Amino acid sequence: MLDTVVVSIVQMLVFNTDVWWNRSLDTGIRLLLVGVIRDRLLQFISKLQFALTVLLTSWTEKKQRRKSSTTLITLNVVFFPVVLAFIAVSAVLSSPLLPLFTLPIFLIGFPRPIRSWPGSVGVTASVCSDTVYYKQMVPSLAAALQSALAAGSLGLFLPGSHYLCRFQDRLIWILVIERGFTYCCVNIKGLELQETSCHTAEAHRVDDIFAMAFEREEHAKTLSLNHHFGNILTPCTALPVRLYSDAKNVLSGIIDSHENLKQLKDDFVKVLVWVLVQYFYNKSKTCEKLDKADKDTDESFPINKKAFNNTVERPRSVRDEDSFSVETIEDWTDDSDLFDLEPTGRMRERKEMGPAATAPRMHLSIPGSVEMQSRDGALQKTPLEDKLHRPVVLGLPALDKGKKQEVLRLPSLEFSCSYSELLSIPEEWRTAPIPASKLNEMRQRFPEEWYHFILSQLDFFHLEEKPASLLEDLTKDKALKDLYIHGVLSCCFGLFGLDSTVPAPSHVFRAYTGGIPWSVGLDWLTGKPELFQLALKAFRYTFKLMVDQASLGPVESFKELVNYLEEYENDWYIGLVSDIEWQQAILKEKPYLFSLGHDPNMGVYTGRVLTLQKLLVQVGKLNGDAVRGQWANLSWELLYATNDDEERYSIQAHPVLLRNLTVQAADPPLGYPVYSSEPLHVPLF
């Protein structure tokens, strides 16, 4: 429209029809000529502004002032016509104005495409753990750009324009690659979140510029001057974007409170009971759906599943066969000789039971040993070799001769309710090496009322035929309750041991991160990966519950506690920032995320909470020629001058030119953005 208006005005002012404007040019060529002149004129003004900024800040910015600054300024003033000619030629050629080492020594750079770098857009980036935060917010940011462009909030949105967005510790760089009448194509980059000193200095200046532009309450009654005049960043607007806000808190006074830690240990039992019941309840739903899906197949090929399941047994692994338990301690008493050919004690009883009572084992040969073959070719196992293959328990005290050790015997289970099988715990989950006396002592910690309340909340809607008294029958089933008592107390033994003392904050942190020091109980628990993950999940839920109770007040009823746990299960991811599940939860846009950390410098424990919500992201427009000029110098300095010093002058903080941020936003290997999107097509209408 501007070009058409200019052509119309010139047409009205030129009265002589013999002038070349009227005689040789038609309307299309006139519009094209005016468009080229307008583009080169805007480039000239932009490059002139960039040159004056480099020249003046070499003296006004104290950290940029050098011994040679006075000389360089003098030479630029004396040879100002030459400098102006360089700027004009650079604008005509549409090539970047190159400030040598970002000093006021200007050269004409090699003509470059608008995106400045060869290769496909968005292919390379320095991917790290921070990449996921930008990847999550880009779709919402692209949608917000569409409304801003339609409203004209971003000014002249031309190809080659650069925009900088700021939200908390995130910096987003937007490059306009292509622009049409109804569409535009952009590339969005994300800069690193681990701020260096140079990065921090320029980020603070960006925050000051946006605060002065958008936070007008302090300046509403007074007329204030723009203290950032000449900066290459010009604030434009604030866009609503759906992203994660990041809040970090110090947990001093919470994690080191004796009362909180004592409550944590008691609440862990309740939370673990809830986690186990929900796990097997949801598992029963899945099995019911699979049974319905296979119903037609079962009718076509009838098979007695019950008889089949009874005849097929799960083979026991070598680890299960040779795992440590209290029963194996008796086999290694003082009267046992490793090289004794006659079995003693319990081993003699086992051998007398015959081969039918013991599962077959697979033994590995000892290097250098001689294996004896029978007539049939079968490998003969000698008692000596059998003893060598038995597990050796190291570090255990010798038992007194003739003293009988307490042994935890697993009682046979007989459920009073047939539906208890749906919530049954596997037998190997209750085989922790806990002495019987300790188990009876720990049994008192099991919350029976809480257990009954959880069972009463189950609906079993997925069962087609169920008795009316199903929940009541489950509650009265003592065998099922004993299963959960053994399973829950086994997990408590694995995480806290047999000691009844209150855990220290360091132990809580290690338990949360899964880095507890080795113990017999932990070794047993980690040997059951599925149970270990459930116990770790329950412990993390318990820790989050402790933090919430310290902040919001104690839980007053079972119903309120269930609401907390259901909210953690559905709306939260509670884990570690380093977990792969953390990144997956962000990409799935989980509403809340929580992580526990430790600051070794300050010696404090910290909590980090991410909250998904729609917040305002501040957007400013950058001087495109200033960016292209600094990128041209970066290319020249690294590729031709081979100056790759990480502390070189040209990448130090420059709050006016935003030099360090501009270098980061360049494509690898010269720059190092942590995220770079593929070309995004943004419709304008």
Side-chain angles (χ1 to χ4, degrees):
M1 184 178 293
L2 176 63
D3 297 343
T4 305
V5 171
V6 171
V7 170
S8 301
I9 293 176
V10 173
Q11 186 69 25
M12 289 187 298
L13 294 179
V14 177
F15 298 102
N16 190 356
T17 57
D18 295 333
V19 180
W20 62 275
W21 175 267
N22 292 328
R23 185 180 65 254
S24 304
L25 304 178
D26 56 13
T27 304
I29 299 298
R30 294 171 188 170
L31 290 172
L32 180 61
L33 182 61
V34 170
V36 171
I37 295 174
R38 172 186 51 80
D39 178 72
R40 297 304 187 265
L41 181 61
L42 292 177
Q43 286 193 38
F44 177 80
I45 296 173
S46 179
K47 294 178 191 296
L48 181 61
Q49 181 184 358
F50 171 51
L52 291 176
T53 300
V54 174
L55 182 64
L56 295 178
T57 55
S58 64
W59 178 260
T60 57
E61 294 288 330
K62 293 182 179 180
K63 292 186 178 181
Q64 310 302 324
R65 193 178 302 169
R66 305 167 64 89
K67 295 181 179 180
S68 59
S69 297
T70 305
T71 304
L72 293 176
I73 293 175
T74 303
L75 291 176
N76 275 273
V77 172
V78 172
F79 294 99
F80 179 72
V82 178
V83 175
L84 197 63
F86 275 22
I87 296 175
V89 173
S90 176
V92 171
L93 296 178
S94 190
S95 61
L97 182 66
L98 193 155
L100 200 61
F101 301 106
T102 64
L103 295 172
I105 304 174
F106 301 103
L107 301 175
I108 301 175
F110 190 83
R112 289 172 171 267
I114 291 176
R115 64 175 184 270
S116 294
W117 308 109
S120 302
V121 175
V123 175
T124 57
S126 303
V127 179
C128 65
S129 59
D130 298 333
T131 303
V132 66
Y133 300 102
Y134 294 106
K135 191 174 182 180
Q136 177 273 328
M137 66 178 294
V138 160
S140 179
L141 178 60
L145 283 176
Q146 177 181 358
S147 59
L149 291 174
S153 304
L154 299 179
L156 291 176
F157 201 77
L158 302 175
S161 299
H162 295 261
Y163 292 86
L164 185 65
C165 307
R166 177 68 167 170
F167 176 77
Q168 290 185 348
D169 57 350
R170 271 157 276 185
L171 285 164
I172 304 98
W173 195 283
I174 301 176
L175 168 62
V176 182
I177 303 174
E178 185 180 349
R179 168 70 191 270
F181 179 66
T182 60
Y183 75 96
C184 69
C185 191
V186 298
N187 169 235
I188 299 178
K189 298 178 181 178
L191 305 187
E192 63 178 356
L193 302 183
Q194 307 296 330
E195 297 184 350
T196 60
S197 57
C198 296
H199 183 110
T200 303
E202 295 185 359
H204 283 337
R205 180 61 63 90
V206 172
D207 292 336
D208 293 341
I209 294 174
F210 282 134
M212 188 174 182
F214 298 114
E215 299 175 7
R216 303 177 182 177
E217 289 80 5
E218 300 179 0
H219 310 284
K221 298 181 180 180
T222 60
L223 179 63
S224 60
L225 298 176
N226 182 11
H227 302 291
H228 306 290
F229 180 78
N231 197 290
I232 68 169
L233 177 65
T234 303
C236 293
T237 186
L239 302 178
V241 180
R242 183 177 173 84
L243 43 65
Y244 282 97
S245 62
D246 195 348
K248 299 178 182 178
N249 302 310
V250 177
L251 299 180
S252 299
I254 298 179
I255 193 175
D256 51 2
S257 172
H258 184 271
E259 296 180 358
N260 290 341
L261 294 176
K262 183 179 179 180
Q263 186 66 33
L264 171 82
K265 196 170 182 179
D266 295 336
D267 289 341
F268 172 71
V269 179
K270 296 181 181 179
V271 176
L272 183 57
V273 171
W274 183 85
V275 169
L276 291 177
V277 171
Q278 292 297 319
Y279 174 76
F280 288 106
Y281 175 69
N282 294 329
K283 198 172 183 179
S284 68
K285 287 183 178 180
T286 304
C287 295
E288 185 69 19
K289 292 180 180 179
L290 294 177
D291 291 342
K292 290 181 179 179
D294 296 339
K295 187 174 181 180
D296 296 337
T297 306
D298 295 341
E299 293 177 355
S300 302
F301 304 96
I303 299 177
N304 191 345
K305 289 187 176 181
K306 184 175 181 180
F308 179 80
N309 292 333
N310 291 334
T311 56
V312 178
E313 296 182 357
R314 183 181 62 87
R316 298 181 65 184
S317 63
V318 178
R319 181 180 182 90
D320 294 337
E321 182 70 24
D322 295 339
S323 62
F324 169 74
S325 67
V326 177
E327 297 180 4
T328 61
I329 297 178
E330 292 187 357
D331 301 335
W332 295 94
T333 57
D334 288 343
D335 59 343
S336 311
D337 186 6
L338 178 64
F339 298 96
D340 188 6
L341 299 181
E342 290 295 328
T344 61
R346 186 172 299 274
M347 289 299 298
R348 184 183 295 111
E349 297 176 3
R350 293 180 182 176
K351 289 185 176 294
E352 291 175 358
M353 294 173 64
T358 58
R361 295 191 184 184
M362 180 180 64
H363 296 281
L364 300 177
S365 61
I366 302 176
S369 63
V370 179
E371 300 176 348
M372 306 202 47
Q373 302 287 338
S374 66
R375 294 180 181 179
D376 299 333
L379 183 64
Q380 298 293 331
K381 295 290 182 180
T382 65
L384 173 60
E385 186 180 358
D386 184 68
K387 285 203 173 229
L388 289 175
H389 283 297
R390 287 171 54 190
V392 180
V393 182
L394 302 177
L396 294 176
L399 300 179
D400 293 337
K401 186 175 181 179
K403 183 178 180 180
K404 188 174 181 180
Q405 176 75 10
E406 287 184 302
V407 178
L408 176 61
R409 298 183 181 275
L410 296 179
S412 58
L413 295 176
E414 294 182 1
F415 293 122
S416 61
C417 177
S418 60
Y419 289 92
S420 296
E421 289 286 351
L422 298 176
L423 302 178
S424 176
I425 292 179
E427 182 178 346
E428 60 269 16
W429 286 16
R430 55 191 186 101
T431 58
I434 307 176
S437 60
K438 285 290 184 180
L439 180 64
N440 294 330
E441 180 182 343
M442 297 172 65
R443 184 186 292 266
Q444 300 176 1
R445 298 171 50 191
F446 187 79
E448 292 190 16
E449 295 182 359
W450 167 251
Y451 168 75
H452 294 159
F453 178 79
I454 293 177
L455 293 182
S456 65
Q457 300 298 308
L458 303 179
D459 48 41
F460 289 100
F461 285 152
H462 57 283
L463 299 180
E464 295 181 354
E465 299 179 359
K466 59 181 179 179
S469 60
L470 173 59
L471 297 180
E472 183 179 355
D473 295 341
L474 288 175
T475 304
K476 294 180 179 180
D477 194 336
K478 294 183 178 180
L480 182 63
K481 184 181 72 173
D482 289 339
L483 266 182
Y484 277 89
I485 291 176
H486 283 282
V488 170
L489 297 184
S490 297
C491 293
C492 292
F493 169 64
L495 293 179
F496 298 106
L498 297 176
D499 197 356
S500 60
T501 58
V502 176
S506 59
H507 183 86
V508 172
F509 176 74
R510 289 180 176 181
Y512 185 95
T513 58
I516 307 176
W518 184 91
S519 65
V520 174
L522 181 65
D523 184 65
W524 174 88
L525 184 59
T526 53
K528 318 289 186 295
E530 191 176 5
L531 178 60
F532 177 72
Q533 291 300 324
L534 292 174
L536 183 61
K537 174 183 177 181
F539 185 86
R540 290 174 174 179
Y541 282 10
T542 308
F543 183 85
K544 182 64 173 65
L545 179 64
M546 181 189 73
V547 175
D548 289 344
Q549 289 186 99
S551 305
L552 305 176
V555 175
E556 298 179 352
S557 63
F558 287 162
K559 184 63 177 178
E560 184 179 359
L561 179 56
V562 168
N563 292 337
Y564 268 111
L565 297 178
E566 288 180 348
E567 182 182 356
Y568 296 159
E569 182 74 17
N570 300 325
D571 299 336
W572 286 79
Y573 174 77
I574 302 175
L576 296 175
V577 178
S578 57
D579 293 340
I580 187 64
E581 292 82 4
W582 179 276
Q583 299 185 11
Q584 294 174 354
I586 292 177
L587 295 179
K588 293 179 181 177
E589 295 193 340
K590 206 75 167 170
Y592 306 98
L593 292 91
F594 175 83
S595 174
L596 175 64
H598 180 254
D599 189 348
N601 298 325
M602 300 180 62
V604 296
Y605 297 97
T606 58
R608 183 179 182 184
V609 178
L610 299 184
T611 305
L612 182 64
Q613 51 189 328
K614 184 168 285 189
L615 297 170
L616 292 179
V617 175
Q618 297 165 336
V619 184
K621 186 175 184 179
L622 297 166
N623 186 325
D625 286 288
V627 174
R628 296 180 66 199
Q630 293 181 74
W631 281 356
N633 171 73
L634 176 66
S635 177
W636 177 87
E637 191 171 356
L638 292 181
L639 300 180
Y640 297 96
T642 63
N643 181 17
D644 59 351
D645 184 7
E646 294 182 355
E647 300 298 328
R648 63 186 184 274
Y649 171 78
S650 60
I651 64 172
Q652 297 301 313
H654 196 305
V656 179
L657 292 178
L658 304 180
R659 185 166 53 193
N660 186 266
L661 299 180
T662 303
V663 170
Q664 288 186 46
D667 284 355
L670 303 183
Y672 44 97
V674 299
Y675 173 78
S676 182
S677 71
E678 296 181 353
L680 300 175
H681 183 86
V682 180
L684 302 182
F685 303 103

